[in-house]
Short mmCIF file of all heavy atoms in Angstrom, two decimals:
data_model
loop_
_atom_site.label_atom_id
_atom_site.label_comp_id
_atom_site.label_asym_id
_atom_site.label_seq_id
_atom_site.Cartn_x
_atom_site.Cartn_y
_atom_site.Cartn_z
N MET B 188 15.79 -36.12 -4.96
CA MET B 188 16.53 -35.06 -5.44
C MET B 188 15.77 -34.14 -6.43
O MET B 188 15.88 -32.93 -6.34
CB MET B 188 17.86 -35.59 -6.14
CG MET B 188 18.77 -34.53 -6.48
SD MET B 188 19.39 -33.74 -5.08
CE MET B 188 20.70 -32.77 -5.69
N LYS B 189 14.95 -34.79 -7.22
CA LYS B 189 14.11 -34.08 -8.23
C LYS B 189 13.09 -33.16 -7.49
O LYS B 189 12.82 -32.10 -7.93
CB LYS B 189 13.42 -34.97 -9.17
CG LYS B 189 14.30 -35.66 -10.20
CD LYS B 189 13.55 -36.49 -11.12
CE LYS B 189 14.43 -37.14 -12.16
NZ LYS B 189 13.70 -37.98 -13.15
N LYS B 190 12.56 -33.66 -6.35
CA LYS B 190 11.58 -32.93 -5.63
C LYS B 190 12.21 -31.67 -5.03
O LYS B 190 11.53 -30.64 -4.94
CB LYS B 190 10.92 -33.78 -4.50
CG LYS B 190 10.07 -34.85 -5.01
CD LYS B 190 9.42 -35.63 -3.91
CE LYS B 190 8.52 -36.76 -4.48
NZ LYS B 190 7.94 -37.60 -3.39
N ILE B 191 13.41 -31.82 -4.58
CA ILE B 191 14.09 -30.59 -4.01
C ILE B 191 14.38 -29.57 -5.06
O ILE B 191 14.10 -28.38 -4.83
CB ILE B 191 15.44 -31.06 -3.31
CG1 ILE B 191 15.16 -31.95 -2.13
CG2 ILE B 191 16.25 -29.85 -2.94
CD1 ILE B 191 16.40 -32.55 -1.50
N VAL B 192 14.73 -29.99 -6.26
CA VAL B 192 14.99 -29.06 -7.36
C VAL B 192 13.75 -28.41 -7.76
O VAL B 192 13.66 -27.15 -7.99
CB VAL B 192 15.66 -29.76 -8.53
CG1 VAL B 192 15.81 -28.87 -9.75
CG2 VAL B 192 17.03 -30.31 -8.14
N ILE B 193 12.61 -29.18 -7.85
CA ILE B 193 11.28 -28.56 -8.22
C ILE B 193 10.88 -27.57 -7.11
O ILE B 193 10.39 -26.55 -7.47
CB ILE B 193 10.30 -29.70 -8.48
CG1 ILE B 193 10.65 -30.47 -9.69
CG2 ILE B 193 8.85 -29.10 -8.54
CD1 ILE B 193 9.79 -31.68 -9.95
N GLY B 194 11.05 -27.92 -5.87
CA GLY B 194 10.68 -27.08 -4.80
C GLY B 194 11.49 -25.72 -4.84
O GLY B 194 10.92 -24.63 -4.68
N ILE B 195 12.77 -25.83 -5.11
CA ILE B 195 13.63 -24.60 -5.23
C ILE B 195 13.19 -23.71 -6.38
O ILE B 195 13.08 -22.57 -6.26
CB ILE B 195 15.05 -24.96 -5.32
CG1 ILE B 195 15.58 -25.58 -4.01
CG2 ILE B 195 15.94 -23.77 -5.73
CD1 ILE B 195 16.93 -26.18 -4.08
N ILE B 196 12.84 -24.36 -7.46
CA ILE B 196 12.36 -23.59 -8.65
C ILE B 196 11.06 -22.88 -8.34
O ILE B 196 10.88 -21.64 -8.67
CB ILE B 196 12.20 -24.50 -9.90
CG1 ILE B 196 13.55 -24.96 -10.39
CG2 ILE B 196 11.45 -23.82 -11.04
CD1 ILE B 196 13.53 -26.06 -11.42
N ILE B 197 10.14 -23.49 -7.71
CA ILE B 197 8.82 -22.96 -7.36
C ILE B 197 9.04 -21.79 -6.39
O ILE B 197 8.43 -20.70 -6.53
CB ILE B 197 7.87 -23.99 -6.77
CG1 ILE B 197 7.42 -24.92 -7.88
CG2 ILE B 197 6.66 -23.30 -6.11
CD1 ILE B 197 6.67 -26.10 -7.41
N LEU B 198 9.91 -21.92 -5.35
CA LEU B 198 10.16 -20.86 -4.40
C LEU B 198 10.80 -19.68 -5.11
O LEU B 198 10.53 -18.49 -4.82
CB LEU B 198 11.06 -21.33 -3.29
CG LEU B 198 10.37 -22.26 -2.24
CD1 LEU B 198 11.39 -22.78 -1.23
CD2 LEU B 198 9.24 -21.51 -1.54
N THR B 199 11.70 -19.91 -6.03
CA THR B 199 12.39 -18.90 -6.75
C THR B 199 11.42 -18.08 -7.61
O THR B 199 11.44 -16.87 -7.68
CB THR B 199 13.53 -19.45 -7.66
OG1 THR B 199 14.43 -20.21 -6.78
CG2 THR B 199 14.25 -18.36 -8.37
N LEU B 200 10.54 -18.81 -8.29
CA LEU B 200 9.60 -18.12 -9.16
C LEU B 200 8.62 -17.28 -8.35
O LEU B 200 8.27 -16.14 -8.71
CB LEU B 200 8.81 -19.14 -10.01
CG LEU B 200 9.58 -19.89 -11.08
CD1 LEU B 200 8.77 -20.91 -11.78
CD2 LEU B 200 10.10 -18.85 -12.13
N SER B 201 8.14 -17.82 -7.18
CA SER B 201 7.21 -17.06 -6.37
C SER B 201 7.89 -15.86 -5.72
O SER B 201 7.28 -14.77 -5.55
CB SER B 201 6.57 -17.91 -5.29
OG SER B 201 7.50 -18.40 -4.40
N ALA B 202 9.18 -15.96 -5.35
CA ALA B 202 9.92 -14.87 -4.77
C ALA B 202 10.22 -13.80 -5.83
O ALA B 202 10.28 -12.56 -5.47
CB ALA B 202 11.24 -15.36 -4.17
N CYS B 203 10.26 -14.12 -7.05
CA CYS B 203 10.57 -13.18 -8.10
C CYS B 203 9.30 -12.61 -8.74
O CYS B 203 9.38 -11.99 -9.79
CB CYS B 203 11.45 -13.81 -9.21
SG CYS B 203 13.05 -14.25 -8.60
N LYS B 204 8.17 -12.94 -8.16
CA LYS B 204 6.84 -12.42 -8.62
C LYS B 204 6.52 -12.85 -10.08
O LYS B 204 5.81 -12.20 -10.77
CB LYS B 204 6.82 -10.88 -8.58
CG LYS B 204 7.05 -10.26 -7.20
CD LYS B 204 6.89 -8.78 -7.37
CE LYS B 204 7.32 -8.17 -6.04
NZ LYS B 204 7.34 -6.72 -6.12
N LEU B 205 7.04 -13.98 -10.48
CA LEU B 205 6.74 -14.49 -11.77
C LEU B 205 5.41 -15.29 -11.80
O LEU B 205 4.81 -15.45 -12.83
CB LEU B 205 7.85 -15.43 -12.30
CG LEU B 205 9.18 -14.66 -12.55
CD1 LEU B 205 10.27 -15.70 -12.97
CD2 LEU B 205 9.03 -13.63 -13.62
N ILE B 206 5.03 -15.77 -10.59
CA ILE B 206 3.74 -16.42 -10.48
C ILE B 206 3.01 -15.81 -9.28
O ILE B 206 3.64 -15.29 -8.37
CB ILE B 206 3.89 -17.97 -10.26
CG1 ILE B 206 4.69 -18.34 -9.10
CG2 ILE B 206 4.42 -18.60 -11.55
CD1 ILE B 206 4.73 -19.84 -8.78
N GLY B 207 1.72 -15.91 -9.25
CA GLY B 207 0.94 -15.42 -8.21
C GLY B 207 0.77 -13.96 -8.18
O GLY B 207 1.29 -13.20 -9.07
N LYS B 208 0.01 -13.43 -7.22
CA LYS B 208 -0.27 -11.97 -7.13
C LYS B 208 0.92 -11.25 -6.50
O LYS B 208 1.67 -11.76 -5.71
CB LYS B 208 -1.48 -11.76 -6.25
CG LYS B 208 -2.09 -10.42 -6.29
CD LYS B 208 -3.39 -10.36 -5.52
CE LYS B 208 -3.95 -8.95 -5.68
NZ LYS B 208 -5.21 -8.83 -4.98
N GLY B 209 1.15 -10.00 -6.96
CA GLY B 209 2.27 -9.21 -6.43
C GLY B 209 2.05 -8.71 -5.05
O GLY B 209 1.00 -8.97 -4.41
N ASN B 210 3.00 -8.03 -4.55
CA ASN B 210 2.89 -7.47 -3.19
C ASN B 210 2.12 -6.15 -3.27
O ASN B 210 2.71 -5.13 -3.68
CB ASN B 210 4.31 -7.19 -2.60
CG ASN B 210 5.08 -8.50 -2.40
OD1 ASN B 210 4.42 -9.58 -2.24
ND2 ASN B 210 6.33 -8.48 -2.46
N GLU B 211 0.88 -6.18 -2.84
CA GLU B 211 0.07 -5.01 -2.89
C GLU B 211 -0.53 -4.67 -1.46
O GLU B 211 -0.81 -5.58 -0.69
CB GLU B 211 -1.07 -5.18 -3.92
CG GLU B 211 -0.56 -5.42 -5.30
CD GLU B 211 -1.72 -5.74 -6.19
OE1 GLU B 211 -2.93 -5.72 -5.75
OE2 GLU B 211 -1.50 -6.03 -7.38
N ILE B 212 -0.69 -3.36 -1.30
CA ILE B 212 -1.36 -2.93 -0.06
C ILE B 212 -2.50 -2.01 -0.47
O ILE B 212 -2.22 -1.05 -1.16
CB ILE B 212 -0.44 -2.21 0.88
CG1 ILE B 212 0.69 -3.13 1.33
CG2 ILE B 212 -1.17 -1.60 2.05
CD1 ILE B 212 1.77 -2.45 2.16
N GLU B 213 -3.72 -2.35 -0.09
CA GLU B 213 -4.82 -1.46 -0.46
C GLU B 213 -5.18 -0.64 0.77
O GLU B 213 -5.14 -1.17 1.90
CB GLU B 213 -6.03 -2.29 -0.85
CG GLU B 213 -5.78 -3.00 -2.14
CD GLU B 213 -7.04 -3.81 -2.54
OE1 GLU B 213 -8.16 -3.46 -2.10
OE2 GLU B 213 -6.93 -4.77 -3.36
N PHE B 214 -5.41 0.63 0.61
CA PHE B 214 -5.75 1.47 1.73
C PHE B 214 -6.72 2.57 1.25
O PHE B 214 -6.86 2.91 0.13
CB PHE B 214 -4.51 2.12 2.32
CG PHE B 214 -3.75 3.04 1.40
CD1 PHE B 214 -4.05 4.43 1.39
CD2 PHE B 214 -2.77 2.56 0.56
CE1 PHE B 214 -3.31 5.26 0.52
CE2 PHE B 214 -2.09 3.37 -0.24
CZ PHE B 214 -2.37 4.74 -0.32
N THR B 215 -7.40 3.11 2.28
CA THR B 215 -8.35 4.27 2.05
C THR B 215 -8.00 5.29 3.10
O THR B 215 -7.73 5.01 4.26
CB THR B 215 -9.77 3.73 2.30
OG1 THR B 215 -10.12 2.70 1.35
CG2 THR B 215 -10.77 4.90 2.02
N ILE B 216 -8.01 6.51 2.63
CA ILE B 216 -7.76 7.65 3.52
C ILE B 216 -9.00 8.50 3.68
O ILE B 216 -9.53 8.92 2.67
CB ILE B 216 -6.61 8.56 3.01
CG1 ILE B 216 -5.32 7.73 2.82
CG2 ILE B 216 -6.35 9.69 3.93
CD1 ILE B 216 -4.25 8.45 2.10
N GLU B 217 -9.47 8.66 4.87
CA GLU B 217 -10.65 9.50 5.15
C GLU B 217 -10.28 10.54 6.18
O GLU B 217 -9.84 10.24 7.29
CB GLU B 217 -11.85 8.71 5.61
CG GLU B 217 -12.35 7.72 4.61
CD GLU B 217 -13.51 6.86 5.16
OE1 GLU B 217 -13.84 7.04 6.35
OE2 GLU B 217 -14.01 6.07 4.41
N ASN B 218 -10.44 11.86 5.84
CA ASN B 218 -10.19 12.88 6.74
C ASN B 218 -11.54 13.32 7.32
O ASN B 218 -12.29 14.06 6.69
CB ASN B 218 -9.51 14.04 6.05
CG ASN B 218 -9.20 15.18 7.00
OD1 ASN B 218 -9.42 15.10 8.17
ND2 ASN B 218 -8.65 16.28 6.48
N LYS B 219 -11.83 12.84 8.55
CA LYS B 219 -13.09 13.13 9.15
C LYS B 219 -13.07 14.38 10.04
O LYS B 219 -13.95 14.57 10.83
CB LYS B 219 -13.59 11.92 9.95
CG LYS B 219 -13.92 10.75 9.00
CD LYS B 219 -14.45 9.56 9.79
CE LYS B 219 -14.79 8.46 8.84
NZ LYS B 219 -15.37 7.30 9.50
N SER B 220 -11.99 15.12 10.01
CA SER B 220 -11.82 16.32 10.83
C SER B 220 -12.39 17.52 10.05
O SER B 220 -12.84 17.43 8.93
CB SER B 220 -10.39 16.52 11.21
OG SER B 220 -9.64 16.90 10.04
N ASP B 221 -12.30 18.65 10.64
CA ASP B 221 -12.71 19.88 10.04
C ASP B 221 -11.61 20.61 9.24
O ASP B 221 -11.85 21.59 8.52
CB ASP B 221 -13.27 20.86 11.15
CG ASP B 221 -14.49 20.31 11.71
OD1 ASP B 221 -15.26 19.55 11.03
OD2 ASP B 221 -14.78 20.67 12.86
N ALA B 222 -10.37 20.19 9.44
CA ALA B 222 -9.24 20.86 8.83
C ALA B 222 -8.51 19.91 7.86
O ALA B 222 -8.60 18.69 8.07
CB ALA B 222 -8.23 21.26 9.88
N PRO B 223 -7.90 20.46 6.84
CA PRO B 223 -7.13 19.54 5.94
C PRO B 223 -5.91 19.05 6.54
O PRO B 223 -5.34 19.60 7.55
CB PRO B 223 -6.75 20.53 4.76
CG PRO B 223 -6.90 21.92 5.33
CD PRO B 223 -7.85 21.84 6.41
N ILE B 224 -5.44 17.91 6.11
CA ILE B 224 -4.21 17.22 6.57
C ILE B 224 -3.16 17.47 5.49
O ILE B 224 -3.42 17.22 4.30
CB ILE B 224 -4.41 15.74 6.78
CG1 ILE B 224 -5.47 15.51 7.78
CG2 ILE B 224 -3.12 15.11 7.26
CD1 ILE B 224 -5.87 14.04 7.95
N GLU B 225 -2.03 17.98 5.92
CA GLU B 225 -1.00 18.35 4.92
C GLU B 225 0.29 17.48 5.09
O GLU B 225 0.62 16.97 6.15
CB GLU B 225 -0.58 19.84 5.09
CG GLU B 225 -1.70 20.78 4.83
CD GLU B 225 -1.40 22.17 5.11
OE1 GLU B 225 -0.27 22.43 5.68
OE2 GLU B 225 -2.22 23.04 4.74
N ASN B 226 0.99 17.32 3.96
CA ASN B 226 2.26 16.59 3.86
C ASN B 226 2.20 15.16 4.44
O ASN B 226 2.90 14.86 5.35
CB ASN B 226 3.37 17.43 4.60
CG ASN B 226 3.51 18.72 3.97
OD1 ASN B 226 3.50 18.91 2.77
ND2 ASN B 226 3.75 19.73 4.75
N VAL B 227 1.32 14.37 3.86
CA VAL B 227 1.17 12.95 4.30
C VAL B 227 2.07 12.14 3.43
O VAL B 227 2.16 12.20 2.25
CB VAL B 227 -0.29 12.51 4.19
CG1 VAL B 227 -0.43 11.05 4.62
CG2 VAL B 227 -1.19 13.40 5.02
N ARG B 228 2.82 11.21 4.09
CA ARG B 228 3.78 10.33 3.40
C ARG B 228 3.60 8.91 3.91
O ARG B 228 3.69 8.66 5.09
CB ARG B 228 5.18 10.85 3.66
CG ARG B 228 6.24 10.11 3.00
CD ARG B 228 7.63 10.76 3.33
NE ARG B 228 8.67 9.82 2.98
CZ ARG B 228 9.64 9.51 3.74
NH1 ARG B 228 9.77 10.06 4.92
NH2 ARG B 228 10.54 8.68 3.33
N PHE B 229 3.42 7.95 2.96
CA PHE B 229 3.37 6.53 3.24
C PHE B 229 4.62 5.87 2.62
O PHE B 229 4.82 6.10 1.40
CB PHE B 229 2.12 5.90 2.71
CG PHE B 229 0.87 6.31 3.37
CD1 PHE B 229 0.08 7.25 2.82
CD2 PHE B 229 0.48 5.70 4.60
CE1 PHE B 229 -1.09 7.69 3.43
CE2 PHE B 229 -0.67 6.16 5.19
CZ PHE B 229 -1.48 7.13 4.64
N THR B 230 5.33 5.06 3.41
CA THR B 230 6.47 4.31 2.85
C THR B 230 6.42 2.89 3.29
O THR B 230 5.77 2.52 4.27
CB THR B 230 7.80 4.88 3.22
OG1 THR B 230 7.88 4.80 4.69
CG2 THR B 230 7.92 6.40 2.89
N THR B 231 7.12 2.04 2.50
CA THR B 231 7.33 0.70 2.98
C THR B 231 8.36 0.70 4.11
O THR B 231 9.06 1.71 4.30
CB THR B 231 7.80 -0.25 1.83
OG1 THR B 231 9.07 0.30 1.29
CG2 THR B 231 6.76 -0.31 0.75
N SER B 232 8.46 -0.38 4.86
CA SER B 232 9.44 -0.44 5.91
C SER B 232 10.90 -0.32 5.45
O SER B 232 11.73 0.19 6.13
CB SER B 232 9.30 -1.71 6.72
OG SER B 232 9.41 -2.81 5.88
N GLU B 233 11.14 -0.68 4.17
CA GLU B 233 12.47 -0.53 3.64
C GLU B 233 12.67 0.80 2.84
O GLU B 233 13.76 0.99 2.28
CB GLU B 233 12.76 -1.69 2.69
CG GLU B 233 12.69 -3.06 3.27
CD GLU B 233 11.32 -3.60 3.29
OE1 GLU B 233 10.41 -3.09 2.59
OE2 GLU B 233 11.11 -4.60 3.97
N ASN B 234 11.67 1.64 2.87
CA ASN B 234 11.61 2.85 2.08
C ASN B 234 11.91 2.68 0.60
O ASN B 234 12.52 3.53 -0.07
CB ASN B 234 12.66 3.89 2.67
CG ASN B 234 12.19 4.42 4.01
OD1 ASN B 234 10.98 4.65 4.28
ND2 ASN B 234 13.14 4.61 4.93
N LEU B 235 11.42 1.59 0.05
CA LEU B 235 11.57 1.34 -1.35
C LEU B 235 10.43 2.01 -2.16
O LEU B 235 10.66 2.38 -3.29
CB LEU B 235 11.58 -0.18 -1.61
CG LEU B 235 12.71 -0.98 -0.99
CD1 LEU B 235 12.53 -2.47 -1.26
CD2 LEU B 235 14.05 -0.54 -1.47
N THR B 236 9.32 2.04 -1.57
CA THR B 236 8.12 2.65 -2.28
C THR B 236 7.58 3.79 -1.41
O THR B 236 7.53 3.67 -0.20
CB THR B 236 7.04 1.56 -2.47
OG1 THR B 236 7.63 0.51 -3.22
CG2 THR B 236 5.90 2.17 -3.33
N GLU B 237 7.17 4.90 -2.05
CA GLU B 237 6.62 5.99 -1.29
C GLU B 237 5.48 6.65 -2.00
O GLU B 237 5.48 6.76 -3.21
CB GLU B 237 7.79 7.04 -1.16
CG GLU B 237 7.38 8.30 -0.44
CD GLU B 237 8.54 9.27 -0.32
OE1 GLU B 237 8.95 9.81 -1.36
OE2 GLU B 237 9.00 9.45 0.84
N LEU B 238 4.46 6.94 -1.24
CA LEU B 238 3.34 7.67 -1.75
C LEU B 238 3.23 9.04 -0.96
O LEU B 238 3.29 8.94 0.28
CB LEU B 238 2.00 6.90 -1.57
CG LEU B 238 1.84 5.70 -2.38
CD1 LEU B 238 0.54 4.90 -1.95
CD2 LEU B 238 1.73 6.03 -3.87
N LYS B 239 3.12 10.10 -1.65
CA LYS B 239 2.99 11.44 -1.00
C LYS B 239 1.72 12.10 -1.31
O LYS B 239 1.28 12.06 -2.47
CB LYS B 239 4.18 12.33 -1.43
CG LYS B 239 5.48 11.97 -0.90
CD LYS B 239 6.51 12.96 -1.32
CE LYS B 239 7.91 12.58 -0.78
NZ LYS B 239 8.94 13.54 -1.23
N PHE B 240 1.12 12.71 -0.34
CA PHE B 240 -0.16 13.50 -0.59
C PHE B 240 0.13 14.90 0.04
O PHE B 240 0.46 15.04 1.19
CB PHE B 240 -1.33 12.90 0.12
CG PHE B 240 -1.63 11.48 -0.32
CD1 PHE B 240 -1.13 10.33 0.24
CD2 PHE B 240 -2.52 11.31 -1.41
CE1 PHE B 240 -1.42 9.11 -0.23
CE2 PHE B 240 -2.82 10.05 -1.88
CZ PHE B 240 -2.27 8.95 -1.30
N ASP B 241 0.06 15.88 -0.78
CA ASP B 241 0.28 17.28 -0.34
C ASP B 241 -0.81 17.74 0.59
O ASP B 241 -0.54 18.40 1.62
CB ASP B 241 0.42 18.23 -1.51
CG ASP B 241 1.64 17.98 -2.32
OD1 ASP B 241 2.66 17.51 -1.77
OD2 ASP B 241 1.62 18.23 -3.55
N ASN B 242 -2.05 17.38 0.21
CA ASN B 242 -3.17 17.91 1.04
C ASN B 242 -4.34 16.92 0.92
O ASN B 242 -4.69 16.45 -0.13
CB ASN B 242 -3.59 19.26 0.41
CG ASN B 242 -4.56 19.99 1.29
OD1 ASN B 242 -4.72 19.66 2.46
ND2 ASN B 242 -5.12 21.07 0.82
N ILE B 243 -4.87 16.58 2.10
CA ILE B 243 -6.11 15.70 2.13
C ILE B 243 -7.19 16.56 2.75
O ILE B 243 -7.16 16.88 3.96
CB ILE B 243 -5.87 14.41 2.93
CG1 ILE B 243 -4.73 13.62 2.29
CG2 ILE B 243 -7.11 13.55 3.01
CD1 ILE B 243 -4.30 12.40 3.09
N GLU B 244 -8.19 16.85 1.93
CA GLU B 244 -9.25 17.75 2.36
C GLU B 244 -10.23 16.93 3.31
O GLU B 244 -10.42 15.75 3.17
CB GLU B 244 -10.03 18.31 1.20
CG GLU B 244 -9.21 19.23 0.35
CD GLU B 244 -8.83 20.52 1.09
OE1 GLU B 244 -9.62 20.99 1.91
OE2 GLU B 244 -7.75 21.07 0.85
N PRO B 245 -10.93 17.72 4.22
CA PRO B 245 -11.94 17.02 5.04
C PRO B 245 -13.11 16.54 4.18
O PRO B 245 -13.46 17.11 3.14
CB PRO B 245 -12.41 18.12 6.01
CG PRO B 245 -11.62 19.32 5.69
CD PRO B 245 -10.78 19.09 4.45
N MET B 246 -13.74 15.48 4.69
CA MET B 246 -14.93 14.97 4.04
C MET B 246 -16.10 15.90 4.34
O MET B 246 -16.21 16.43 5.47
CB MET B 246 -15.23 13.55 4.51
CG MET B 246 -14.19 12.53 4.13
SD MET B 246 -14.48 10.88 4.74
CE MET B 246 -15.87 10.44 3.81
N ASN B 247 -16.97 16.03 3.37
CA ASN B 247 -18.16 16.93 3.56
C ASN B 247 -19.30 16.01 3.91
O ASN B 247 -19.91 15.26 3.15
CB ASN B 247 -18.46 17.70 2.26
CG ASN B 247 -17.40 18.70 1.92
OD1 ASN B 247 -16.84 19.24 2.84
ND2 ASN B 247 -17.17 18.91 0.70
N PHE B 248 -19.72 16.03 5.24
CA PHE B 248 -20.81 15.31 5.71
C PHE B 248 -22.06 16.18 5.69
O PHE B 248 -22.00 17.34 6.14
CB PHE B 248 -20.54 14.80 7.11
CG PHE B 248 -19.46 13.78 7.18
CD1 PHE B 248 -18.22 14.08 7.69
CD2 PHE B 248 -19.69 12.47 6.78
CE1 PHE B 248 -17.25 13.14 7.75
CE2 PHE B 248 -18.72 11.52 6.85
CZ PHE B 248 -17.47 11.83 7.35
N PRO B 249 -23.19 15.61 5.29
CA PRO B 249 -24.47 16.45 5.34
C PRO B 249 -24.84 16.66 6.83
O PRO B 249 -24.63 15.87 7.69
CB PRO B 249 -25.46 15.55 4.67
CG PRO B 249 -24.87 14.21 4.69
CD PRO B 249 -23.43 14.36 4.75
N GLU B 250 -25.32 17.88 7.04
CA GLU B 250 -25.74 18.19 8.42
C GLU B 250 -27.10 17.52 8.73
O GLU B 250 -28.00 17.54 7.87
CB GLU B 250 -25.88 19.76 8.57
CG GLU B 250 -24.53 20.44 8.51
CD GLU B 250 -24.70 21.90 8.81
OE1 GLU B 250 -25.68 22.33 9.42
OE2 GLU B 250 -23.80 22.66 8.41
N ILE B 251 -27.25 17.07 9.92
CA ILE B 251 -28.45 16.41 10.37
C ILE B 251 -29.21 17.34 11.22
O ILE B 251 -28.64 17.92 12.19
CB ILE B 251 -28.15 15.15 11.14
CG1 ILE B 251 -27.35 14.13 10.27
CG2 ILE B 251 -29.45 14.45 11.63
CD1 ILE B 251 -26.85 12.97 10.98
N GLY B 252 -30.53 17.51 10.96
CA GLY B 252 -31.34 18.32 11.80
C GLY B 252 -32.02 19.36 11.07
O GLY B 252 -32.40 20.24 10.74
#
């Protein structure tokens, strides 16, 4: 019975983000086109968190030749 109680406590603590690393998503955005990208929006599947970018400019690549 004690093992079950300890297991429930550990699961509760990990679900509440009291131990361990949080829920994070790392990403990189690269616009490799010639035109800017406008009105970019990233959300979680539950729409709890949202990141908005008004404008993502193209990357400047050096010309070869």
Side-chain angles (χ1 to χ4, degrees):
M188 185 67 168
K189 288 182 181 181
K190 290 181 181 180
I191 293 173
V192 172
I193 291 172
I195 291 172
I196 291 172
I197 290 172
L198 286 174
T199 303
L200 291 175
S201 65
C203 295
K204 300 181 190 177
L205 296 176
I206 60 174
K208 192 173 181 178
N210 296 333
E211 299 175 0
I212 299 174
E213 295 182 21
F214 62 91
T215 302
I216 302 171
E217 294 180 358
N218 181 3
K219 295 184 178 181
S220 69
D221 294 332
I224 302 172
E225 297 177 350
N226 299 322
V227 178
R228 179 177 167 232
F229 292 98
T230 63
T231 59
S232 58
E233 300 86 14
N234 289 324
L235 298 176
T236 304
E237 178 180 68
L238 292 173
K239 289 184 179 180
F240 298 92
D241 293 330
N242 194 10
I243 301 174
E244 293 294 327
M246 295 178 66
N247 294 326
F248 292 105
E250 292 186 22
I251 300 173

